[in-house]
Amino acid sequence: MPIDLDAALGAKLPAAEFSWSSSDVQLYHLALGAGADPMNNRELNYLVDNTPQVLPTFGNVAQSFHLTEPPSVPFPGVDIELAKILHASEEVTVAAPLPPSGAAQSTARVVDIWDKGKAAVIVSESAVTSLDGTPLWTTRRSIFARGEGGFGGERGPSLSTAVPERACDYEVPLPILPQQALLYRLCGDRNPLHSDPEFAAAAGFPRPILHGLCTYGMTCKAMVDACLDSDVSRVRAYGARFAGVVYPGEMLLARIWEEEDRLVASVTAPSRDNESVLSGVELVPA
């Protein structure tokens, strides 16, 4: 069914309650590659029992962490097949460092829907608070729905992906384990695009691909480790756009620039002629 712009735009979902434990945080960090050097105390800070430090990107997955069914697009007026959906961008802004365990409630709403002709871009925002109403974090997400454009909406802005015209300040290799997508799917995203070769082939990919949010989280960790002394409390906001696919087993390269008030980065796949996989990466320090 075509997108019903009147029903979807501004649609607000009922508040949803969820909780997480320090074991969930540990699993999330392991799925991003934390602990590759188990003798490194900075790595172990992400994995210590009960009180691990928490990457802000955990806020992007905390609500769905315990889901065991493939994700859906839950907003009124939007009925899209899962195979048509690609993640376009993700952001998180934190009020303070995330606690290693807790309970919260989230309220989500559609804030923009762009008609790109052959596709639609749907932008949603979620505000997360503790059960007593204390702000914890806010996420903003866009999805790219192939074949769902042409409904008569506005085309929306064209976002720049340029990085500074100088040599980067840091280069950080990001090795992707062959089994990394199978591990990361335990963090609440059971989309078969990341685990089922036949499903991936039907979606036009030669093999299952890595979750965009895994690359997103790995890059945040790389920036925190390289530029902020592995201190997650120094992050105020972080976001990126998903520019291309990542295949388990390959090596990525993050290039990071220190700007006056932020860190910016790009992530490419050197073995595929430096094809871009993440663009518009920005980290705003606290």
Side-chain angles (χ1 to χ4, degrees):
M1 294 176 63
I3 291 174
D4 183 339
L5 195 62
D6 292 333
L9 193 58
K12 189 175 182 179
L13 296 181
E17 292 189 8
F18 61 97
S19 63
W20 67 98
S21 69
S22 60
S23 292
D24 297 330
V25 172
Q26 290 171 304
L27 174 57
Y28 174 70
H29 289 158
L30 283 170
L32 299 183
D37 180 356
M39 298 297 290
N40 185 327
N41 284 331
R42 300 206 315 179
E43 289 293 307
L44 294 178
N45 284 338
Y46 291 105
L47 302 168
V48 66
D49 287 339
N50 301 317
T51 57
Q53 69 165 356
V54 187
L55 281 166
T57 52
F58 182 74
N60 296 105
V61 303
Q63 182 176 348
S64 60
F65 199 87
H66 296 132
L67 297 183
T68 57
E69 296 296 326
S72 62
V73 181
F75 295 102
V78 181
D79 185 11
I80 302 172
E81 294 178 19
L82 189 61
K84 292 184 176 181
I85 293 173
L86 290 174
H87 209 152
S89 69
E90 191 84 12
E91 301 173 24
V92 62
T93 301
V94 299
L98 274 58
S101 61
Q105 62 180 3
S106 172
T107 303
R109 63 189 180 97
V110 174
V111 294
D112 283 309
I113 301 179
W114 307 120
D115 187 344
K116 300 296 186 180
K118 294 183 179 180
V121 174
I122 302 167
V123 185
S124 62
E125 187 173 278
S126 296
V128 178
T129 67
S130 63
L131 298 184
D132 66 7
T134 303
L136 294 175
W137 67 84
T138 301
T139 64
R140 189 177 179 93
R141 172 176 299 173
S142 67
I143 61 172
F144 186 86
R146 296 176 292 180
E148 298 296 329
F151 54 85
E154 296 182 13
R155 183 168 180 82
S158 296
L159 300 176
S160 172
T161 60
V163 295
E165 295 184 358
R166 60 178 177 83
C168 64
D169 297 298
Y170 302 90
E171 286 191 349
V172 182
L174 302 176
I176 308 299
L177 298 173
Q179 70 273 31
Q180 193 140 11
L182 299 176
L183 177 59
Y184 187 84
R185 71 192 298 267
L186 302 182
C187 299
D189 187 343
R190 303 301 178 99
N191 187 335
L193 181 63
H194 308 295
S195 59
D196 185 334
E198 292 184 1
F199 188 95
F205 298 100
R207 58 187 186 275
I209 63 176
L210 186 66
H211 307 69
L213 278 178
C214 185
T215 312
Y216 167 89
M218 292 178 71
T219 303
C220 181
K221 180 179 181 299
M223 297 173 79
V224 170
D225 290 344
C227 309
L228 302 179
D229 197 28
S230 297
D231 184 355
V232 300
S233 70
R234 295 173 63 183
V235 182
R236 168 64 176 168
Y238 172 77
R241 293 191 290 278
F242 303 102
V245 300
V246 174
Y247 295 102
E250 66 180 349
M251 177 71 75
L252 305 180
L253 181 65
R255 295 179 174 88
I256 307 168
W257 288 261
E258 293 182 324
E259 296 287 86
E260 182 176 347
D261 58 350
R262 60 190 176 133
L263 303 172
V264 299
S266 66
V267 181
T268 60
S271 65
R272 290 184 276 127
D273 295 324
N274 282 316
E275 180 178 321
S276 177
V277 297
L278 277 188
S279 65
V281 184
E282 292 190 0
L283 187 155
V284 180

mmCIF file of all heavy atoms in Angstrom, residues 30 87 117 211 227 252 269:
data_model
loop_
_atom_site.group_PDB
_atom_site.id
_atom_site.type_symbol
_atom_site.label_atom_id
_atom_site.label_comp_id
_atom_site.label_asym_id
_atom_site.label_seq_id
_atom_site.Cartn_x
_atom_site.Cartn_y
_atom_site.Cartn_z
ATOM 1 N N LEU A 30 30.646 -6.447 23.096
ATOM 2 C CA LEU A 30 31.331 -7.572 22.453
ATOM 3 C C LEU A 30 30.953 -7.670 20.975
ATOM 4 O O LEU A 30 31.806 -7.965 20.128
ATOM 5 C CB LEU A 30 30.978 -8.879 23.157
ATOM 6 C CG LEU A 30 31.664 -9.155 24.497
ATOM 7 C CD1 LEU A 30 31.018 -10.363 25.173
ATOM 8 C CD2 LEU A 30 33.161 -9.391 24.300
ATOM 9 N N HIS A 87 18.428 1.016 6.160
ATOM 10 C CA HIS A 87 18.671 2.041 7.159
ATOM 11 C C HIS A 87 19.418 3.199 6.493
ATOM 12 O O HIS A 87 20.409 2.976 5.809
ATOM 13 C CB HIS A 87 19.521 1.424 8.268
ATOM 14 C CG HIS A 87 19.328 2.028 9.607
ATOM 15 N ND1 HIS A 87 19.525 1.327 10.773
ATOM 16 C CD2 HIS A 87 18.972 3.268 9.990
ATOM 17 C CE1 HIS A 87 19.296 2.103 11.810
ATOM 18 N NE2 HIS A 87 18.963 3.300 11.353
ATOM 19 N N GLY A 117 10.984 10.011 -5.193
ATOM 20 C CA GLY A 117 10.630 9.511 -6.514
ATOM 21 C C GLY A 117 10.488 8.007 -6.524
ATOM 22 O O GLY A 117 9.384 7.473 -6.440
ATOM 23 N N HIS A 211 24.847 -5.437 9.901
ATOM 24 C CA HIS A 211 23.923 -4.397 10.329
ATOM 25 C C HIS A 211 24.607 -3.030 10.266
ATOM 26 O O HIS A 211 25.734 -2.866 10.765
ATOM 27 C CB HIS A 211 23.478 -4.632 11.771
ATOM 28 C CG HIS A 211 22.928 -5.987 12.046
ATOM 29 N ND1 HIS A 211 23.709 -7.128 12.040
ATOM 30 C CD2 HIS A 211 21.678 -6.398 12.360
ATOM 31 C CE1 HIS A 211 22.952 -8.175 12.340
ATOM 32 N NE2 HIS A 211 21.725 -7.764 12.528
ATOM 33 N N CYS A 227 40.272 9.402 20.251
ATOM 34 C CA CYS A 227 40.287 10.863 20.443
ATOM 35 C C CYS A 227 39.851 11.315 21.829
ATOM 36 O O CYS A 227 40.160 12.454 22.219
ATOM 37 C CB CYS A 227 39.374 11.532 19.413
ATOM 38 S SG CYS A 227 39.685 11.040 17.715
ATOM 39 N N LEU A 252 37.518 -2.615 7.392
ATOM 40 C CA LEU A 252 37.124 -1.244 7.112
ATOM 41 C C LEU A 252 38.201 -0.301 7.633
ATOM 42 O O LEU A 252 39.074 -0.686 8.401
ATOM 43 C CB LEU A 252 35.791 -0.916 7.778
ATOM 44 C CG LEU A 252 34.608 -1.831 7.450
ATOM 45 C CD1 LEU A 252 33.366 -1.352 8.191
ATOM 46 C CD2 LEU A 252 34.360 -1.898 5.956
ATOM 47 N N ALA A 269 35.619 0.897 2.726
ATOM 48 C CA ALA A 269 36.067 -0.491 2.571
ATOM 49 C C ALA A 269 37.243 -0.497 1.605
ATOM 50 O O ALA A 269 37.055 -0.464 0.384
ATOM 51 C CB ALA A 269 34.935 -1.357 2.042
#
